[in-house]
């Protein structure tokens, strides 16, 4: 028996703040993953941190399992403390893989609730881009991308403890868009400067516009920023090089795509 579950990470959030008095974030899913493997081909646990171990025990209690005889392994492409939803992806992948090994399956809403009971969560267990409540895991609205986008992910360095960090933004959503709103992204990112400032963010936004990028987003409780390009932009590599040269304090991590499916 072998069960493999992959959960996407993120490049921060498209926006984060409050909507009608409730905390809300809009996800920014990318093609980087945490992968959980449950199998009888090995024993013990590998790669699980304290939160993932807590999720493992939580799922076993949920299904009243006294003895779990399978091995559990967690592998992640997501760096920790950067705002890439590494913990959320780990927790959701472990929960679903263990459930499937027991002949069960969690819905995205159930995964959201389970993850949020351990820590504030990103909505990576829902398909595509969504607006959701990070404190409950509840889906608020699905959001579409009108076209395909590439994201150049840059890192400001360091780490943020997302458990101790108050995941909020002094930004109120007046309305929730049906499609990606880059003005909303910009406003949310700038509002978050009061909470977790990022060096040269306005200059980065202006420079990105000058080189033909679509917009910039950030991790509201992390250290990454994403520069959005049209998927058919043939000069992305050159533009990334110009950003690296102009903002030498940023570390280029990867070029990926915004996942809208």
């Amino acid at each position: 028996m072998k069960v493999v579950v992959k959960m996407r990470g993120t490049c921060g959030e498209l926006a984060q703040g409050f909507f009608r008095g409730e905390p809300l974030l809009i996800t920014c899913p990318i093609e980087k993953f945490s992968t959980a493997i449950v199998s009888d081909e090995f024993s013990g646990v590998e790669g699980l941190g304290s939160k993932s171990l807590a999720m493992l025990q939580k799922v076993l209690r949920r299904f009243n399992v006294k003895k779990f005889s399978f091995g559990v392994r967690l592998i992640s492409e997501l760096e920790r403390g950067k705002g890439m939803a590494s913990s959320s992806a780990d927790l959701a992948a472990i929960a679903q893989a263990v459930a499937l090994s027991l002949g069960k399956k969690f819905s995205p809403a159930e995964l959201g609730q389970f993850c949020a009971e351990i820590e504030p969560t990103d909505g990576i267990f829902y398909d595509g881009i969504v607006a959701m409540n990070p404190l409950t895991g509840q889906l608020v609205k699905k959001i579409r991308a009108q076209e395909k986008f590439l994201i150049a992910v840059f890192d400001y360095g360091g780490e943020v403890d997302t458990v101790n960090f108050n995941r909020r933004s002094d930004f109120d959503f007046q309305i929730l868009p049906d499609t990606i709103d880059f003005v909303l992204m910009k406003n949310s990112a700038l509002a978050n400067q009061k909470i977790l400032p990022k060096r040269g963010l306005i200059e980065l936004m202006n420079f990105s516009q000058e080189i033909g990028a679509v917009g910039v987003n950030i991790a509201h409780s992390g250290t990454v920023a994403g520069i959005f390009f049209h998927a058919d932009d043939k000069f992305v590599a050159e533009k990334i090089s110009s950003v690296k040269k102009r903002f030498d304090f940023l570390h280029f991590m990867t070029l990926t795509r915004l996942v809208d499916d």
Side-chain angles (χ1 to χ4, degrees):
M1 188 281 298
K2 185 176 183 180
V3 174
V4 179
V5 172
K6 300 177 73 172
M7 288 286 172
R8 297 184 188 279
T10 69
C11 175
E13 300 81 28
L14 295 181
Q16 184 169 342
F18 291 88
F19 181 64
R20 296 176 179 172
E22 298 292 330
L24 182 129
L25 68 79
I26 299 177
T27 60
C28 183
I30 61 173
E31 288 187 314
K32 296 291 180 181
F33 300 89
S34 284
T35 303
I37 304 169
V38 177
S39 177
D40 58 6
E41 299 173 1
F42 59 91
S43 60
V45 296
E46 300 176 23
L48 278 70
S50 58
K51 289 179 282 189
S52 298
L53 287 170
M55 177 60 82
L56 171 60
Q57 295 303 318
K58 189 178 182 67
V59 175
L60 295 180
R61 288 194 300 270
R62 167 70 176 268
F63 297 118
N64 196 31
V65 176
K66 303 298 183 183
K67 183 179 180 180
F68 190 65
S69 57
F70 302 127
V72 183
R73 181 178 293 153
L74 183 63
I75 304 167
S76 182
E77 301 175 302
L78 306 167
E79 292 196 35
R80 310 292 173 184
K82 300 294 185 184
M84 301 183 75
S86 58
S87 292
S88 298
D90 287 354
L91 293 175
I94 287 292
Q96 193 68 288
V98 173
L100 289 171
S101 74
L102 298 171
K104 310 292 184 180
K105 185 177 182 180
F106 289 121
S107 68
E110 289 172 322
L111 285 175
Q113 180 182 350
F114 257 48
C115 290
E117 287 173 355
I118 292 179
E119 69 168 6
T121 186
D122 204 291
I124 44 80
F125 25 77
Y126 295 108
D127 291 335
I129 305 161
V130 300
M132 51 84 64
N133 186 323
L135 299 187
T136 65
Q138 182 178 5
L139 175 69
V140 177
K141 186 176 186 178
K142 289 186 175 291
I143 294 174
R144 296 179 293 106
Q146 292 179 308
E147 62 173 287
K148 302 298 183 183
F149 295 105
L150 296 174
I151 308 177
V153 184
F154 287 86
D155 180 33
Y156 277 86
E159 294 184 9
V160 175
D161 186 337
T162 54
V163 174
N164 295 324
F165 188 84
N166 183 14
R167 294 194 67 180
R168 66 180 182 87
S169 173
D170 293 338
F171 179 74
D172 290 316
F173 293 82
Q174 301 302 315
I175 59 171
L176 279 181
D178 293 319
T179 58
I180 293 177
D181 187 327
F182 288 101
V183 174
L184 189 72
M185 281 173 47
K186 178 179 180 179
N187 292 341
S188 182
L190 293 177
N192 203 66
Q193 288 289 81
K194 302 174 186 176
I195 302 165
L196 187 63
K198 290 179 170 57
R199 176 182 172 188
L201 180 58
I202 294 177
E203 290 80 3
L204 179 63
M205 289 178 170
N206 291 338
F207 186 77
S208 297
Q209 184 176 20
E210 290 173 13
I211 63 175
V214 183
V216 173
N217 82 312
I218 63 160
H220 291 69
S221 60
T223 65
V224 297
I227 302 178
F228 283 62
F229 296 96
H230 297 291
D232 60 356
D233 191 330
K234 299 179 180 178
F235 302 100
V236 168
E238 291 89 340
K239 293 175 180 180
I240 290 174
S241 294
S242 68
V243 173
K244 291 163 64 176
K245 183 177 180 180
R246 171 66 177 80
F247 301 89
D248 58 3
F249 54 87
L250 291 176
H251 168 64
F252 174 65
M253 297 180 72
T254 189
L255 178 66
T256 183
R257 75 177 182 97
L258 178 68
V259 178
D260 187 28
D261 48 35

